[in-house]
């Protein structure tokens, strides 16, 4: 017997896990035995009681234990090998059959004890058969059977190169290390939250006595993960409360002057959000607020209000957008609002020539620029402010955690004291409450509710390609009425290259079909200047139809555009389609959204119907979350790395709530997690931070 296994042992030290299998485990994020033991099963199979063969019923899944009566293996002409066996348990006999490609296995030894687990089929003659059941060769009668027999059996996630049986065997072998895995949760917290000890939970997670024990174990592991996540958020929140920010109190005449400049009356929803933001700005701790609102709810006006107020009180501000196109749009909006005022708007773009850029930077540093607009270029190290008071980030979900952190650090170098700017981040991806709590749990949240008066809801049609004529008619009618149209193509990423064929072909087709109209093409591969030119032409009405890839997905505001056609709608996520749909119906004229479904069946029509039936982005996002999971909804799907392993949201929201309470209590007592009892948690938090950073880098890379 070799020395006992320990949690830090590499999975490669387990019997049968070498080379390719070791690599496959690594791809699942499993390197040590401790990692492996935390790998939650997808489901369980009840294999506690073997079924007497005489009782086998068709269409049931059963465990059969018996002796091999006869067995043979042979190769067919088609190159498929077949292994057959007849197994008896004294009550009857059952036939089993397995198929192999390539190699021909040896027949099972006669009288060998075996366990078979699989679905029962009755043959035409009424004989019971098992098709490719899971096979386990059993030891002599008095020895304990292996992991797949006589118990509740875990079915783990599979990946290429690792079958569920193989993973189960590996976990079985690793189990002796379970008791030695250090429990990061202090005993007091564990008692309070009524959680089993980690060692017990790890055993019950895989080989529970009953399903209740399995669920208790899963809850325990989910709690661990969510607690660490909540600790991270709680620490950020407390850290922020000790930081200083400028107190920006709006004088009454400032409110009056801003309102006088707005071309419309603010909605009640906008007023409420503005009230919350203004109150934050007056406090000496930095604001860190998420402004959520459905597409077209008028978030820009809320942001403009905050920016203008801060400027009026003598502070510099930043307005950051995810794309140059949007930065330009915001610049236009603000400059229109500010016509004739002394407020100085400066736009920074990555494409600026050296000399103008240097001059712009000098103006910013000298405090001669009041509102600095741009993409994340405004976060560059060389951009220094004289007195930065407020940063507004539009379409926040397009930015990573890391960029947000850079942003928050930005104020430090400015001015005489180390002060942080207030920070407002906006998102039009309506984030379900569950997600908002998870990902932005360290932020305060405002929601712009309600709709802007005078809007007619967008009509949404799901059509098949055969209805192309009808679509064309509707588009022509809108154009004839002097309106504009978007036609959206998916951006297909194949072997790293963007496949623009569809969009190009689409432009040509529409140009031909609409000889009297101007058709433009916008896609991610265009140089930034070219993108802006096309967008500007569309905004000014020089283009009637804009054929585009998802570049227009977020934020673009052209009220005269009333119709939007989405090609291959089945390739988009629901939330993304909802975003796209938000590009139309922004004026008084209403809007039409046509989703062309080219999926030829599948499950997509039902999915798209959710959109046709609903106009509330929050409902759609919840639906999207159910269908696709967290990563997809954010557009930052991690490559095989789930955000959580044992926890699953929104299902585990109740656990999240408990974990948050525990995290707050822990941080209140020990903000630095410095107590010896919190050592395990402190390490886990650090590891989690590293994990998030890595995800961020991946997301940033794939966004490029
Ligand atoms: P989003 O929340 O999607 O960013 P925008 O801020 O772009 O929405 O606003 C959408 C449109 O509604 C813009 O054309 C804007 O001028 C207009 N708008 C915003 N607030 C109001 C309001 N209170 N009354 C009328 N129109 C408004
Ligand atoms: Mg917007």
């Amino acid at each position: 017997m070799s020395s006992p296994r320990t949690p830090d042992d590499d999975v490669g030290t387990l019997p049968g896990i070498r080379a390719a299998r070791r690599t496959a485990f690594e791809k699942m994020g499993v390197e040590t035995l401790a990692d492996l033991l935390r790998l939650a099963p997808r489901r369980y199979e009840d294999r506690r009681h073997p079924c007497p063969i005489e009782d086998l019923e068709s269409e049931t899944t059963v465990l059969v234990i018996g002796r091999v009566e006869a067995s043979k293996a042979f190769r067919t002409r088609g190159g498929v090998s077949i292994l057959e066996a007849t197994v008896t348990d004294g009550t009857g006999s059952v036939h089993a059959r397995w198929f192999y490609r390539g190699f021909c296995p040896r027949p099972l030894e006669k009288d060998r004890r075996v366990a078979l687990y699989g679905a029962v089929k009755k043959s035409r003659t009424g004989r019971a058969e098992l098709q490719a059941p899971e096979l386990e060769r059993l030891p002599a009668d008095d020895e304990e059977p292996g992991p797949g027999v006589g118990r509740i059996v875990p079915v783990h996630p599979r990946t290429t190169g690792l079958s569920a049986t193989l993973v189960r065997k590996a976990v079985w072998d690793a189990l002796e290390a379970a008791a030695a895995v250090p429990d990061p949760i202090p005993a007091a917290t564990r008692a309070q939250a009524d959680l089993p000890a980690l060692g017990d939970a790890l055993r019950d997670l895989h080989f529970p006595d009953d399903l209740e024990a399995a669920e208790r174990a899963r809850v325990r592991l989910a709690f661990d993960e969510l607690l660490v996540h909540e600790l991270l958020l709680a620490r950020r929140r407390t850290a922020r409360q000790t930081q200083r920010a400028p107190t920006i109190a709006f004088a009454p005449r400032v409110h009056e002057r801003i309102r006088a400049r707005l071309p419309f009356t603010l909605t009640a929803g906008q007023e409420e959000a503005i009230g919350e933001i203004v109150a934050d700005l007056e406090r000496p701790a930095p604001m860190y607020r998420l402004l959520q609102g459905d597409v077209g709810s008028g978030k820009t006006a809320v942001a403009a209000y905050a920016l203008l107020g801060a400027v009026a009180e003598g502070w510099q501000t930043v307005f950051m957008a995810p794309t140059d196109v949007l930065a330009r749009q915001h610049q236009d909006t603000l400059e229109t609002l500010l016509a004739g005022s002394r407020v100085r708007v400066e736009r920074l773009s990555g494409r600026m020539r050296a000399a103008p850029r240097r001059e712009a930077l000098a103006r910013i540093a000298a405090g001669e620029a009041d509102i600095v607009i741009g993409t994340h270029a405004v976060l560059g190290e060389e951009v220094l402010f004289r007195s930065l008071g407020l940063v507004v980030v539009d379409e926040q979900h397009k930015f990573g955690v890391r960029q947000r952190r850079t942003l928050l650090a930005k104020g430090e170098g400015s001015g005489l004291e180390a002060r942080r700017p207030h920070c407002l981040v906006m998102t039009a991806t309506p984030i379900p409450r569950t997600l908002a709590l998870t990902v932005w749990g360290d932020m305060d949240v405002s929601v712009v509710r309600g709709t802007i008066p005078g809007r007619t809801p967008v009509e949404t049609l799901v059509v098949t390609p055969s209805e192309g004529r009808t679509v064309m008619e509707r588009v022509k009618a809108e154009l004839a009425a002097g309106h504009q149209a978007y036609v959206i193509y998916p951006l297909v990423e194949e072997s790293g290259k963007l496949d623009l064929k569809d969009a190009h072909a689409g432009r040509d087709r529409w140009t031909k079909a609409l000889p009297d109209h101007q058709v433009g093409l916008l896609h991610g591969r265009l140089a930034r200047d070219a993108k802006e030119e096309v967008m500007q032409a569309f905004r000014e009405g020089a283009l009637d139809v804009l054929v585009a890839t998802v570049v227009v997905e977020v934020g673009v505001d052209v009220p005269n555009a009333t119709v939007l056609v989405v090609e291959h709608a089945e390739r988009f996520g629901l939330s993304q389609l909802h975003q796209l749909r938000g590009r139309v119906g922004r004026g008084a004229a209403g809007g039409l959204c046509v989703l062309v479904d080219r999926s030829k069946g599948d499950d997509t029509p039902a999915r798209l119907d959710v959109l046709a039936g609903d106009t509330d982005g929050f409902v759609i996002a919840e639906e999207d979350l159910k269908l696709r999971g967290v990563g997809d909804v954010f557009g930052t799907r991690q490559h095989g790395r789930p955000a959580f392993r044992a926890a699953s949201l929104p299902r585990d929201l109740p656990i999240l709530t408990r974990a948050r309470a525990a995290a707050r209590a822990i941080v209140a007592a020990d903000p630095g997690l410095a107590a010896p009892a919190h050592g395990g948690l402190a390490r886990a938090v650090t590891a989690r931070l590293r994990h998030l950073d890595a995800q961020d880098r991946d997301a940033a890379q794939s966004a490029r």
Side-chain angles (χ1 to χ4, degrees), residues 264-267 270 295-300 452 455 557 586:
F264 39 68
T265 315
L266 293 164
T267 65
Q270 286 170 322
V295 274
S297 59
K299 293 182 293 298
T300 317
I452 290 167
R455 291 275 165 85
D557 183 37
R586 297 175 86 85

Side-chain angles (χ1 to χ4, degrees), residues 471-506:
V471 174
M472 192 59 86
E473 303 283 283
R474 299 282 308 252
V475 173
K476 278 184 178 163
E478 287 299 321
L479 295 179
H483 297 142
Q484 291 163 282
Y486 296 100
V487 181
I488 309 295
Y489 284 85
L491 195 61
V492 189
E493 211 151 344
E494 257 168 26
S495 60
K497 268 191 295 177
L498 301 179
D499 183 354
L500 289 170
K501 271 208 320 275
D502 278 2
H504 276 286

